[in-house]
Amino acid sequence: MKRIFRFGILMITTICLLSACSKAQSSSTDKSDAIIGKNVLIVYLSRTKNTEAIARIIQKNVGGKLVKLELEIPYPENYQANVDQVAKENESGYLPPLKTKIDSMEKYDVVFIGFPTWGMQLPPPMKSFLKQYDFKGKTLIPFNTNAGYGIGSSFQTVKDLAPSSKILDGFSTQGGKERDGIFFVMEGEKEKQAQSEVGKWLQKIGMLIKD
């Protein structure tokens, strides 16, 4: 009788363990398959190439179309002149017209949007982009580079300008400090670090499909 009881306990334990393992595998599969079959667009604004570097790391991991956001009238090359112009645009709410056009936005399911932090806000060109297209039903994923001051209100503004989309947790990392004459820093050890950080982030939000 005791043997039968022990055998029953053993069988129940085995079934529970197999069930837990199956659920864990299913969860892992659900996450890794989140991006499969989706059309991906990666749009980025980059002045010193740091945001561009992150955009390329993302593309390397998830694929998709990479698009650089360009203006009809580029910002001044001089740093302070650029800062002054952006400050005026933020104050007035002016949205600079974009040279970049996205054909058939409706075909994209997932849109990564990358930008630096300017004046602790979302850059005006990215506001123009978000205002220009309908993101209803799409998944938006923001990513950011900054000079050490963080994202400011930029991620919240993305949510405000695309309320009908699903917005996943964004990514942010420190890039160059143009004010101090430090421009492109996503190279060497910093690039390796960025690749690792981006990989962990993509895995966390269920967008990493490569081992």
Side-chain angles (χ1 to χ4, degrees):
M1 191 73 181
K2 289 183 178 179
R3 288 182 180 179
I4 295 174
F5 178 75
R6 289 174 182 173
F7 180 75
I9 293 295
L10 180 61
M11 287 296 294
I12 292 172
T13 303
T14 302
I15 291 171
C16 289
L17 287 173
L18 288 173
S19 176
C21 180
S22 176
K23 287 180 179 179
Q25 288 178 344
S26 175
S27 177
S28 175
T29 301
D30 289 344
K31 282 192 173 184
S32 63
D33 287 349
I35 200 73
I36 294 176
K38 304 289 187 181
N39 286 322
V40 177
L41 176 67
I42 305 168
V43 178
Y44 68 91
L45 175 72
S46 189
R47 180 175 169 86
T48 61
K49 296 186 179 180
N50 286 285
T51 307
E52 178 180 353
I54 299 298
R56 293 189 180 280
I57 294 173
I58 293 171
Q59 186 191 38
K60 183 178 179 181
N61 282 278
V62 304
K65 183 176 182 180
L66 191 66
V67 177
K68 181 179 180 179
L69 205 60
E70 296 182 291
L71 283 69
E72 288 186 0
I73 303 175
Y75 282 113
E77 291 188 10
N78 178 270
Y79 171 73
Q80 191 56 51
N82 184 96
V83 170
D84 293 343
Q85 181 173 328
V86 169
K88 291 178 181 178
E89 291 175 351
N90 282 332
E91 185 177 353
S92 66
Y94 176 74
L95 299 177
L98 303 175
K99 178 180 177 181
T100 302
K101 306 297 181 186
I102 306 298
D103 294 328
S104 304
M105 175 62 83
E106 65 275 6
K107 74 180 182 183
Y108 295 104
D109 307 296
V110 177
V111 183
F112 287 85
I113 50 174
F115 46 84
T117 302
W118 285 356
M120 298 306 292
Q121 298 185 45
L122 186 70
M126 192 54 71
K127 294 177 186 176
S128 294
F129 173 73
L130 291 171
K131 283 276 192 177
Q132 190 169 329
Y133 298 97
D134 181 11
F135 296 97
K136 184 177 181 179
K138 299 185 185 301
T139 297
L140 263 60
I141 311 174
F143 61 97
N144 161 272
T145 61
N146 59 79
Y149 299 104
I151 62 173
S153 61
S154 62
F155 283 11
Q156 182 58 50
T157 302
V158 171
K159 294 179 181 180
D160 294 341
L161 295 179
S164 59
S165 67
K166 177 183 179 181
I167 300 178
L168 301 188
D169 291 340
F171 173 82
S172 182
T173 189
Q174 186 171 328
K177 297 182 180 181
E178 188 177 1
R179 182 187 61 184
D180 301 329
I182 303 172
F183 297 95
F184 184 58
V185 299
M186 295 295 172
E187 52 189 2
E189 288 302 315
K190 179 62 177 177
E191 182 180 17
K192 292 179 182 178
Q193 178 185 342
Q195 289 173 345
S196 176
E197 291 176 353
V198 170
K200 291 177 182 177
W201 165 62
L202 291 173
Q203 188 172 44
K204 180 181 177 182
I205 63 174
M207 289 291 155
L208 188 64
I209 63 172
K210 294 186 178 182
D211 295 332

